[in-house]
Amino acid sequence: MNKNTRWTVLFASMAILLCAGSLYSFSVFAKPLSVSKGWSMPDVMLAFTINAAIAPIPTILGGFITDKGKANISIILGGILFAVGFILTGFATTKGMLYFSYGVLSGVGQAFAYSGIISNALRFFPDKRGLAAGLITGAMGGASVIAAPIAHSLIANYGVHNAFIYLGSVYLVIIIIALFFIKVAPANYQPEGWIQPVAEIKQEAANKDWKQMLMSLSFYFIISMFAIGAFSGLMVASNASVISQTMFGLTASVAATFVSIYALSNTFGRVVWGVVSDKIGHEKTLIAIYSVIAISLLTLVNIRTTVGLTVGLVLLGLCFGGIMGVFAPLVMKTFGPINQGVNYGIVFIGFSTAAFFAPKYAAGIAAKNNGDFTEAFYVAISIVLVGLVISIIYSIFTKRRIK
């Protein structure tokens, strides 16, 4: 295999996730949809909740397909479903249609594509797993940097429904082109000139399937930390535009800029924390991430200025990105690479659980408090402090297990 093949696959994969990741810019669409159709914000946000909450099923199925050496099938199916669902959302006239097109079709599509891409990429980069996971998940998170301002402009000029149709059509073209460059990583792939460390060989020799993983205490630590770490990030990702407008008094256009700032931080955080985890270990990285999340949420609550919003969103975005970038390689390190697709799909239930509760909970709290998310932020702070304690305990547990 040509030594440049894995990088071509990586960049093509990133292009697909730059499209699929636009699901996380839903906060830009939410308020215009609410106004256009007369639906309440919690009802509109349910679409975002659905597409994230059902993700474990296609993620696990996509992982199963990928583990069988058919990552390309999972990626093709996912990419096409995502784009078609996004386009059909533009034709939604009822909440049921919105939930099916955006919530189910696009949600299932994104999960299939992400599942195939992340496992395939980690297999192509056994020497740079943190970097590969960071770049792949960074593309997913970075989608909103591009999508949010474009979507805002399209909504302002052509209406929210046409914005879905136009963007979805562009995504479909990009995805189809990128699919021509997707290749499946060969079994036990090793890049030219790289020799796997003996410690890693011994660790990966003890590959666990999903049943063995569920019997491991490490699994319950990891899935809990994933859910807790994702909670605050998802809560703000889905409501960033609304938070900027109702709590900080910004206009819709300026709020869209802050959605992009959050997304850019999210993207940068996935790469940075992924590389950091390769250097200092996943356990220490998670302890640092939870600590910074708590600081970012306290900043959003107590400093009600543009500076406070900027600092809070940047720090939280960096950490949400870190959560998304760290767990895929952590699962592979802990349970081995052979069953990574299915194992990570099951662990991803932690993320989806947070996705089910966080956005709708935050929107509901804000609706009861005239757009103020303070109560939701304090709940998130309490949750992340629990996560900090769990991550410290897990770090101690891991050290003792290795000894």
Side-chain angles (χ1 to χ4, degrees):
M1 178 176 289
N2 188 294
K3 66 179 181 179
N4 293 322
T5 297
R6 65 174 183 162
W7 290 101
T8 301
V9 173
L10 182 66
F11 294 138
S13 299
M14 290 171 63
I16 294 172
L17 292 186
L18 274 170
C19 297
S22 64
L23 282 180
Y24 297 121
S25 60
F26 188 63
S27 63
V28 177
F29 295 94
K31 196 168 184 178
L33 268 176
S34 176
V35 173
S36 173
K37 295 298 183 182
W39 300 331
S40 70
M41 280 297 292
D43 283 344
V44 171
M45 291 308 303
L46 183 57
F48 181 87
T49 301
I50 289 172
N51 76 48
I54 65 174
I57 298 174
T59 301
I60 294 170
L61 290 176
F64 177 79
I65 294 170
T66 301
D67 290 344
K68 296 298 181 180
K70 302 292 183 181
N72 55 328
I73 294 178
S74 180
I75 298 168
I76 291 169
L77 178 62
I80 300 300
L81 275 178
F82 160 75
V84 170
F86 210 89
I87 293 170
L88 290 179
T89 302
F91 296 98
T93 56
T94 66
K95 286 182 283 187
M97 291 175 65
L98 171 67
Y99 299 155
F100 176 72
S101 59
Y102 192 89
V104 176
L105 287 183
S106 285
V108 167
Q110 185 198 56
F112 264 116
Y114 174 71
S115 179
I117 285 172
I118 187 68
S119 295
N120 196 48
L122 291 181
R123 289 185 171 104
F124 260 123
F125 288 86
D127 55 330
K128 303 176 187 295
R129 283 177 184 161
L131 175 62
L135 289 172
I136 286 294
T137 58
M140 178 90 84
S144 293
V145 177
I146 301 171
I150 294 175
H152 175 74
S153 178
L154 289 173
I155 291 169
N157 290 286
Y158 303 104
V160 64
H161 292 283
N162 284 329
F164 276 114
I165 296 170
Y166 297 158
L167 277 175
S169 299
V170 172
Y171 292 153
L172 183 60
V173 172
I174 294 173
I175 287 170
I176 290 174
I177 293 173
L179 288 173
F180 284 102
F181 299 95
I182 296 296
K183 305 293 181 185
V184 178
N188 301 315
Y189 173 81
Q190 290 190 2
E192 184 179 347
W194 178 73
I195 300 176
Q196 187 176 22
V198 175
E200 287 187 12
I201 295 175
K202 291 181 178 179
Q203 186 175 21
E204 292 182 0
N207 280 281
K208 291 182 171 64
D209 61 22
W210 68 271
K211 293 178 183 179
Q212 294 169 319
M213 181 182 72
L214 292 180
M215 295 176 64
S216 168
L217 183 59
S218 295
F219 165 75
Y220 297 97
F221 274 113
I222 291 172
I223 195 171
S224 298
M225 291 189 296
F226 202 177
I228 290 171
F231 186 89
S232 56
L234 283 164
M235 184 180 76
V236 173
S238 59
N239 293 285
S241 179
V242 181
I243 290 170
S244 299
Q245 293 177 63
T246 59
M247 288 185 66
F248 292 85
L250 304 182
T251 64
S253 60
V254 176
T257 301
F258 276 88
V259 172
S260 294
I261 289 174
Y262 181 76
L264 183 61
S265 301
N266 188 341
T267 304
F268 188 61
R270 295 177 190 221
V271 179
V272 170
W273 287 113
V275 174
V276 168
S277 69
D278 281 342
K279 300 294 185 181
I280 68 172
H282 301 91
E283 297 78 18
K284 291 181 180 178
T285 300
L286 287 172
I287 291 172
I289 287 175
Y290 291 128
S291 300
V292 178
I293 288 175
I295 294 171
S296 68
L297 292 171
L298 285 169
T299 301
L300 288 171
V301 169
N302 294 294
I303 305 178
R304 298 294 182 87
T305 65
T306 303
V307 173
L309 177 63
T310 303
V311 172
L313 288 184
V314 168
L315 291 179
L316 184 59
L318 287 171
C319 292
F320 183 38
I323 290 294
M324 298 307 297
V326 165
F327 277 92
L330 174 59
V331 170
M332 183 173 282
K333 182 186 80 170
T334 306
F335 305 114
I338 292 179
N339 302 297
Q340 167 71 8
V342 173
N343 288 346
Y344 181 63
I346 294 173
V347 170
F348 201 76
I349 292 174
F351 175 87
S352 299
T353 300
F356 182 81
F357 290 105
K360 190 172 176 64
Y361 170 77
I365 291 295
K368 294 178 182 179
N369 293 279
N370 299 316
D372 193 331
F373 286 78
T374 300
E375 182 180 334
F377 283 146
Y378 277 120
V379 170
I381 291 169
S382 301
I383 290 174
V384 80
L385 289 177
V386 172
L388 177 60
V389 173
I390 292 175
S391 65
I392 293 172
I393 295 173
Y394 179 67
S395 179
I396 296 172
F397 168 77
T398 302
K399 289 178 181 178
R400 289 181 177 177
R401 184 188 61 188
I402 294 174
K403 291 180 180 179

